[in-house]
Short mmCIF file of all heavy atoms in Angstrom, two decimals:
data_model
loop_
_atom_site.label_atom_id
_atom_site.label_comp_id
_atom_site.label_asym_id
_atom_site.label_seq_id
_atom_site.Cartn_x
_atom_site.Cartn_y
_atom_site.Cartn_z
N ASP A 1 0.80 -1.22 0.00
CA ASP A 1 0.00 0.00 0.00
C ASP A 1 0.84 1.28 0.00
O ASP A 1 0.28 2.37 -0.01
CB ASP A 1 -0.93 0.02 1.22
CG ASP A 1 -1.97 -1.09 1.19
OD1 ASP A 1 -2.20 -1.68 0.11
OD2 ASP A 1 -2.54 -1.38 2.26
N HIS A 2 2.16 1.14 0.04
CA HIS A 2 3.07 2.30 0.08
C HIS A 2 2.68 3.27 1.20
O HIS A 2 2.69 4.48 1.04
CB HIS A 2 3.14 3.01 -1.26
CG HIS A 2 3.59 2.12 -2.37
ND1 HIS A 2 4.91 1.76 -2.53
CD2 HIS A 2 2.89 1.48 -3.34
CE1 HIS A 2 5.00 0.95 -3.57
NE2 HIS A 2 3.80 0.75 -4.08
N VAL A 3 2.36 2.70 2.35
CA VAL A 3 1.89 3.46 3.51
C VAL A 3 2.89 4.54 3.93
O VAL A 3 2.50 5.63 4.33
CB VAL A 3 1.61 2.49 4.70
CG1 VAL A 3 1.37 3.25 6.00
CG2 VAL A 3 0.45 1.58 4.37
N HIS A 4 4.18 4.25 3.81
CA HIS A 4 5.20 5.15 4.35
C HIS A 4 5.83 6.05 3.29
O HIS A 4 6.74 6.82 3.59
CB HIS A 4 6.27 4.34 5.07
CG HIS A 4 5.68 3.47 6.14
ND1 HIS A 4 5.20 3.99 7.32
CD2 HIS A 4 5.42 2.14 6.18
CE1 HIS A 4 4.70 3.01 8.06
NE2 HIS A 4 4.82 1.88 7.39
N GLU A 5 5.31 5.97 2.07
CA GLU A 5 5.84 6.81 0.99
C GLU A 5 5.77 8.30 1.31
O GLU A 5 6.74 9.02 1.05
CB GLU A 5 5.10 6.49 -0.31
CG GLU A 5 5.80 7.03 -1.53
CD GLU A 5 5.16 6.49 -2.80
OE1 GLU A 5 5.51 5.37 -3.20
OE2 GLU A 5 4.31 7.20 -3.37
N PRO A 6 4.67 8.82 1.88
CA PRO A 6 4.64 10.26 2.20
C PRO A 6 5.74 10.67 3.18
O PRO A 6 6.31 11.76 3.07
CB PRO A 6 3.24 10.46 2.81
CG PRO A 6 2.42 9.35 2.25
CD PRO A 6 3.37 8.18 2.13
N ARG A 7 6.05 9.81 4.15
CA ARG A 7 7.12 10.10 5.13
C ARG A 7 8.47 10.20 4.44
O ARG A 7 9.26 11.09 4.72
CB ARG A 7 7.09 9.00 6.20
CG ARG A 7 8.32 8.89 7.07
CD ARG A 7 8.40 10.05 8.06
NE ARG A 7 9.52 9.95 8.94
CZ ARG A 7 10.78 10.23 8.61
NH1 ARG A 7 11.08 10.61 7.40
NH2 ARG A 7 11.74 10.15 9.50
N ILE A 8 8.71 9.27 3.53
CA ILE A 8 9.97 9.27 2.79
C ILE A 8 10.04 10.48 1.87
O ILE A 8 11.07 11.15 1.79
CB ILE A 8 10.13 7.94 2.03
CG1 ILE A 8 10.26 6.79 3.03
CG2 ILE A 8 11.31 7.99 1.06
CD1 ILE A 8 10.00 5.42 2.45
N GLN A 9 8.94 10.79 1.21
CA GLN A 9 8.91 11.95 0.32
C GLN A 9 9.13 13.24 1.09
O GLN A 9 9.78 14.16 0.58
CB GLN A 9 7.59 12.01 -0.46
CG GLN A 9 7.60 13.03 -1.58
CD GLN A 9 8.68 12.77 -2.63
OE1 GLN A 9 8.79 11.65 -3.14
NE2 GLN A 9 9.50 13.78 -2.93
N ALA A 10 8.65 13.32 2.31
CA ALA A 10 8.89 14.51 3.14
C ALA A 10 10.38 14.69 3.39
O ALA A 10 10.89 15.83 3.37
CB ALA A 10 8.12 14.42 4.45
N ASP A 11 11.09 13.58 3.64
CA ASP A 11 12.55 13.67 3.80
C ASP A 11 13.21 14.15 2.53
O ASP A 11 14.09 15.02 2.55
CB ASP A 11 13.13 12.31 4.20
CG ASP A 11 12.95 11.97 5.67
OD1 ASP A 11 12.41 12.80 6.43
OD2 ASP A 11 13.37 10.86 6.06
N ILE A 12 12.81 13.57 1.41
CA ILE A 12 13.39 13.96 0.11
C ILE A 12 13.15 15.45 -0.15
O ILE A 12 14.07 16.19 -0.52
CB ILE A 12 12.81 13.09 -1.02
CG1 ILE A 12 13.23 11.63 -0.85
CG2 ILE A 12 13.22 13.63 -2.39
CD1 ILE A 12 12.47 10.65 -1.72
N ASP A 13 11.91 15.89 0.06
CA ASP A 13 11.57 17.30 -0.16
C ASP A 13 12.38 18.21 0.75
O ASP A 13 12.87 19.26 0.32
CB ASP A 13 10.07 17.53 0.06
CG ASP A 13 9.20 16.85 -0.98
OD1 ASP A 13 9.73 16.43 -2.04
OD2 ASP A 13 7.98 16.71 -0.72
N SER A 14 12.56 17.80 2.00
CA SER A 14 13.38 18.56 2.93
C SER A 14 14.82 18.65 2.41
O SER A 14 15.45 19.71 2.47
CB SER A 14 13.36 17.90 4.31
OG SER A 14 14.37 18.39 5.14
N GLY A 15 15.32 17.53 1.90
CA GLY A 15 16.67 17.53 1.33
C GLY A 15 16.80 18.52 0.20
O GLY A 15 17.74 19.33 0.16
N TYR A 16 15.86 18.48 -0.73
CA TYR A 16 15.90 19.42 -1.86
C TYR A 16 15.84 20.86 -1.38
O TYR A 16 16.54 21.73 -1.89
CB TYR A 16 14.75 19.16 -2.83
CG TYR A 16 14.91 17.92 -3.67
CD1 TYR A 16 13.81 17.14 -3.98
CD2 TYR A 16 16.15 17.52 -4.17
CE1 TYR A 16 13.93 15.99 -4.77
CE2 TYR A 16 16.29 16.38 -4.94
CZ TYR A 16 15.18 15.63 -5.25
OH TYR A 16 15.31 14.51 -6.02
N GLN A 17 15.02 21.11 -0.35
CA GLN A 17 14.90 22.45 0.20
C GLN A 17 16.24 22.98 0.71
O GLN A 17 16.52 24.17 0.63
CB GLN A 17 13.87 22.45 1.33
CG GLN A 17 13.67 23.78 1.99
CD GLN A 17 12.66 23.71 3.14
OE1 GLN A 17 12.05 22.67 3.39
NE2 GLN A 17 12.52 24.81 3.84
N TYR A 18 17.09 22.07 1.21
CA TYR A 18 18.38 22.47 1.75
C TYR A 18 19.54 22.16 0.82
O TYR A 18 20.69 22.12 1.24
CB TYR A 18 18.57 21.85 3.14
CG TYR A 18 17.71 22.57 4.15
CD1 TYR A 18 16.43 22.11 4.42
CD2 TYR A 18 18.15 23.74 4.76
CE1 TYR A 18 15.60 22.80 5.30
CE2 TYR A 18 17.34 24.42 5.63
CZ TYR A 18 16.07 23.96 5.91
OH TYR A 18 15.26 24.65 6.77
N GLY A 19 19.25 21.94 -0.46
CA GLY A 19 20.31 21.80 -1.45
C GLY A 19 20.91 20.42 -1.60
O GLY A 19 21.94 20.26 -2.26
N VAL A 20 20.28 19.39 -1.02
CA VAL A 20 20.81 18.03 -1.17
C VAL A 20 20.59 17.60 -2.62
O VAL A 20 19.49 17.72 -3.16
CB VAL A 20 20.11 17.05 -0.19
CG1 VAL A 20 20.56 15.63 -0.44
CG2 VAL A 20 20.38 17.47 1.24
N GLU A 21 21.66 17.10 -3.22
CA GLU A 21 21.59 16.62 -4.60
C GLU A 21 21.77 15.12 -4.70
O GLU A 21 21.35 14.51 -5.68
CB GLU A 21 22.66 17.32 -5.44
CG GLU A 21 22.44 18.82 -5.52
CD GLU A 21 23.60 19.55 -6.19
OE1 GLU A 21 24.58 18.89 -6.61
OE2 GLU A 21 23.53 20.78 -6.28
N ARG A 22 22.44 14.54 -3.71
CA ARG A 22 22.70 13.10 -3.73
C ARG A 22 23.00 12.63 -2.32
O ARG A 22 23.26 13.43 -1.42
CB ARG A 22 23.86 12.75 -4.66
CG ARG A 22 25.19 13.34 -4.24
CD ARG A 22 26.27 13.06 -5.27
NE ARG A 22 27.47 13.78 -4.97
CZ ARG A 22 28.47 13.32 -4.24
NH1 ARG A 22 28.41 12.12 -3.73
NH2 ARG A 22 29.53 14.05 -4.03
N ALA A 23 22.96 11.32 -2.17
CA ALA A 23 23.28 10.72 -0.88
C ALA A 23 24.70 10.15 -0.94
O ALA A 23 25.14 9.76 -2.01
CB ALA A 23 22.28 9.59 -0.57
N PRO A 24 25.38 10.15 0.16
CA PRO A 24 24.98 10.77 1.42
C PRO A 24 25.33 12.25 1.44
O PRO A 24 26.33 12.67 0.87
CB PRO A 24 25.80 10.01 2.46
CG PRO A 24 27.07 9.66 1.74
CD PRO A 24 26.64 9.41 0.31
N THR A 25 24.52 13.02 2.09
CA THR A 25 24.81 14.43 2.37
C THR A 25 24.58 14.64 3.85
O THR A 25 23.62 14.12 4.42
CB THR A 25 23.93 15.36 1.53
OG1 THR A 25 24.26 15.20 0.15
CG2 THR A 25 24.14 16.82 1.91
N PHE A 26 25.47 15.39 4.47
CA PHE A 26 25.46 15.61 5.91
C PHE A 26 25.37 17.09 6.22
O PHE A 26 25.91 17.91 5.50
CB PHE A 26 26.75 15.07 6.54
CG PHE A 26 26.96 13.63 6.24
CD1 PHE A 26 27.65 13.23 5.11
CD2 PHE A 26 26.44 12.66 7.08
CE1 PHE A 26 27.81 11.90 4.81
CE2 PHE A 26 26.61 11.33 6.79
CZ PHE A 26 27.29 10.94 5.65
N PHE A 27 24.73 17.38 7.32
CA PHE A 27 24.70 18.74 7.84
C PHE A 27 25.31 18.71 9.24
O PHE A 27 24.85 18.00 10.11
CB PHE A 27 23.27 19.28 7.89
CG PHE A 27 22.72 19.55 6.52
CD1 PHE A 27 22.10 18.55 5.79
CD2 PHE A 27 22.85 20.81 5.95
CE1 PHE A 27 21.61 18.79 4.52
CE2 PHE A 27 22.36 21.07 4.67
CZ PHE A 27 21.73 20.04 3.96
#
């Protein structure tokens, strides 16, 4: 059911917001 997809997408979106282009990226 991809129940946790929104949670993962929120992380990805947060990454893009802070300039993450690839993994791993650290702050």
Side-chain angles (χ1 to χ4, degrees):
D1 295 343
H2 301 284
V3 170
H4 305 287
E5 194 170 277
R7 163 72 177 78
I8 294 162
Q9 191 60 51
D11 281 358
I12 294 167
D13 293 345
S14 165
Y16 287 143
Q17 179 182 356
Y18 286 91
V20 175
E21 297 172 1
R22 63 185 172 92
T25 295
F26 303 89
F27 289 87

